[in-house]
Amino acid sequence: SSVVRIVEKQLDEILAIAKNPAQIRNAGTLAHVDHGKTTTSDSLLMGAGLLSPKVAGKALAMDYVEIEQLRQMTVKAANISLYFEHQGKPYLINFVDTPGHVDFTGHVTRSLRVMDGGLVVVDAVEGVMTQTETVVRQALEEYVRPVLFINKIDRLIKELRLSPQEIMQRILTIVKEFNALIDMFGPPEFKDSWKVDPAKGQVALGSALHKWGITIPMAQKAGLKFSNIVDAYEKGYVDKLAADFPLYKTLLSMIIEHIPPPNVAQKYRIPRLWRGDLNSDVGKALLSADPNGPAVIAVSKVNVDPHAGLITTGRIFSGTIREGDEVYIIGAKSKRKVLQTYIYMGPSRIVVPYMPAGNIVALLGTDDARAGDTIVAANYSGIPPFERMKYISEPVVTVA
Ligand code: GDP
């Protein structure tokens, strides 16, 4: 990956959002293999960039072509921060990469630790499958709220030739299967409130391949019926559907509305993920995602940059991390100095002077850290690390 420096004006805009937890979301996609996780992520990354169109348009540091190239490359990216305006307000959506397949080494779980919500992609024809069950269960173990995207609606029309009523029935069946998982594996206190309700816009339907997506409230507001969607396929105006209801807008709006911001999520996630004293300074800072508290970072990933060396990626649960900070890596028992801090824009890292609690950050200099480790401010070396993650490799029950 390459390092990009951007001008002050662009940095100011990003940092202003990053400082306000209400305008941050940490999410990623989860799915059974072949249900459309990659296609869905691609359409999100292509639809929204890191910079607001207004500021990106001025493009002082990079010329337009470079920005466009970066946008193209984001498709294959690991992590990325997306800029998206919802109801007139700017948001920074840190989109966490999750492995394509359920593996047995805990990669999915490590990604889950740094997210507060997961967009679960389910193929409309196949419905909830074994790996859907595994990833939803893993998400719930980590107190990550799953929301639902029923993908490949086009297959119901073109392959199964279902009527509008039958499509509705199929969707309701999948919603029921999904909610059965939440009922079975959800945290007791959230079993009810985390079940998804299509009428509340907590379920999106669409086609990642054809780049359209809707929620029920959205369709009602626009006067769109299932018969119109069937018509769009039969009479050949799917492009209009994609223009009127772009998938990335629908999914990012659903993420903003139904996945909690970091300061809200940490209130219930911290008691579950960290066994220290919740009434201590650190405990209180973690519960409220306090940018003025001691720095505490959960490491989700380590990768090698051929030029710079090891890059550590993680979620800042409390405090603010800055270039030059002395930190302690709990698992490795080592003291290190942060040499540079970045956020991701596709394959590139953007140098930032600091990053506050609630965000995903990449660090240079914390070489001994490994995925799953905890990095803290050097003078807080005595605090407990984050809990070890529980790996669920096999489904216990299969939803019929
Ligand atoms: P992943 O394994 O979950 O990442 O799935 P991919 O995104 O790679 O998609 C698997 C296959 O399903 C690919 O051939 C996609 O082109 C196809 N696919 C994805 N979304 C749709 C869709 O909305 N409709 C149809 N018909 N095919 C889709």
Side-chain angles (χ1 to χ4, degrees):
S1 68
S2 60
V3 175
V4 174
R5 286 175 190 279
I6 56 175
V7 293
E8 218 166 298
K9 197 175 160 64
Q10 296 170 325
L11 255 184
D12 285 350
E13 184 186 43
I14 294 166
L15 291 172
I17 306 172
K19 278 188 217 169
N20 182 5
Q23 287 166 272
I24 305 166
R25 297 293 183 278
N26 295 304
T29 42
L30 303 166
H32 184 89
V33 62
D34 276 348
H35 281 203
K37 187 174 101 73
T38 313
T39 315
T40 302
S41 303
D42 286 358
S43 79
L44 291 182
L45 304 187
M46 291 304 286
L50 171 67
L51 304 170
S52 71
K54 207 168 61 203
V55 172
K58 290 189 180 129
L60 298 169
M62 293 181 274
D63 65 27
Y64 179 76
V65 176
E66 279 181 300
I67 288 180
E68 277 310 296
Q69 281 171 349
L70 275 175
R71 282 171 72 104
Q72 300 291 323
M73 284 192 288
T74 58
V75 172
K76 298 285 165 239
N79 289 284
I80 188 174
S81 296
L82 299 172
Y83 176 98
F84 183 65
E85 278 174 21
H86 179 62
Q87 294 175 349
K89 233 188 185 180
Y91 288 85
L92 192 63
I93 301 177
N94 299 310
F95 208 72
V96 179
D97 178 53
T98 57
H101 305 272
V102 172
D103 60 24
F104 297 86
T105 57
H107 285 127
V108 173
T109 322
R110 279 180 213 137
S111 305
L112 284 166
R113 177 136 307 174
V114 302
M115 319 171 0
D116 298 316
L119 179 69
V120 182
V121 183
V122 174
D123 182 326
V125 173
E126 294 201 336
V128 168
M129 298 285 280
T130 52
Q131 290 170 4
T132 318
E133 179 179 327
T134 307
V135 289
V136 168
R137 193 173 163 211
Q138 278 176 318
L140 293 167
E141 278 289 330
E142 283 278 322
Y143 275 56
V144 166
R145 184 187 186 181
V147 291
L148 179 60
F149 170 44
I150 304 178
N151 187 30
K152 309 198 190 184
I153 296 292
D154 58 290
R155 294 187 65 196
L156 299 181
I157 300 166
K158 293 195 295 187
E159 292 173 31
L160 304 191
R161 309 216 155 265
L162 300 188
S163 68
Q165 286 76 11
E166 289 167 326
I167 294 172
M168 194 65 206
Q169 268 316 311
R170 183 75 200 119
I171 287 160
L172 292 177
T173 302
I174 294 171
V175 169
K176 223 169 134 185
E177 291 172 350
F178 184 80
N179 282 336
L181 295 178
I182 294 178
D183 199 45
M184 206 154 357
F185 304 116
E189 67 270 41
F190 295 119
K191 263 188 207 299
D192 291 328
S193 58
W194 280 7
K195 279 184 190 141
V196 292
D197 181 352
K200 289 185 185 152
Q202 294 159 335
V203 177
L205 333 158
S207 165
L209 190 63
H210 304 134
K211 299 186 169 56
W212 64 270
I214 52 158
T215 61
I216 298 297
M218 205 179 196
Q220 282 169 344
K221 202 171 157 207
L224 184 84
K225 300 193 187 78
F226 277 109
S227 57
N228 302 126
I229 297 170
V230 172
D231 273 359
Y233 278 96
E234 286 175 352
K235 296 177 182 155
Y237 53 89
V238 178
D239 286 353
K240 187 177 181 320
L241 204 57
D244 292 345
F245 305 96
L247 180 63
Y248 80 94
K249 283 194 178 168
T250 301
L251 295 180
L252 293 178
S253 302
M254 184 165 83
I255 286 170
I256 289 167
E257 286 176 15
H258 301 290
I259 286 174
N263 57 328
V264 173
Q266 287 184 210
K267 277 192 181 57
Y268 56 80
R269 292 192 71 208
I270 289 299
R272 172 84 185 187
L273 305 179
W274 186 75
R275 294 278 181 252
D277 178 4
L278 297 174
N279 291 312
S280 63
D281 286 0
V282 190
K284 285 180 195 156
L286 284 168
L287 287 170
S288 60
D290 183 359
N292 300 314
V296 181
I297 298 169
V299 178
S300 58
K301 201 169 184 167
V302 175
N303 46 304
V304 183
D305 178 301
H307 306 292
L310 286 177
I311 304 293
T312 311
T313 304
R315 155 95 171 249
I316 314 163
F317 277 88
S318 111
T320 296
I321 193 85
R322 285 184 182 78
E323 193 179 303
D325 279 354
E326 298 278 349
V327 292
Y328 183 75
I329 305 162
I330 299 182
K333 295 191 174 64
S334 73
K335 217 170 155 179
R336 288 277 183 172
K337 191 179 192 148
V338 174
L339 299 177
Q340 209 151 45
T341 52
Y342 319 91
I343 58 171
Y344 282 103
M345 180 170 162
S348 300
R349 301 186 308 276
I350 293 183
V351 180
V352 287
Y354 61 88
M355 254 305 149
N359 288 284
I360 308 287
V361 74
L363 304 174
L364 178 67
T366 48
D367 284 11
D368 314 308
R370 294 292 169 265
D373 209 335
T374 309
I375 298 178
V376 297
N379 50 339
Y380 280 83
S381 62
I383 70 161
F386 282 103
E387 283 291 286
R388 293 193 52 197
M389 286 164 270
K390 206 166 150 186
Y391 302 143
I392 296 156
S393 50
E394 275 172 58
V396 172
V397 224
T398 302
V399 177

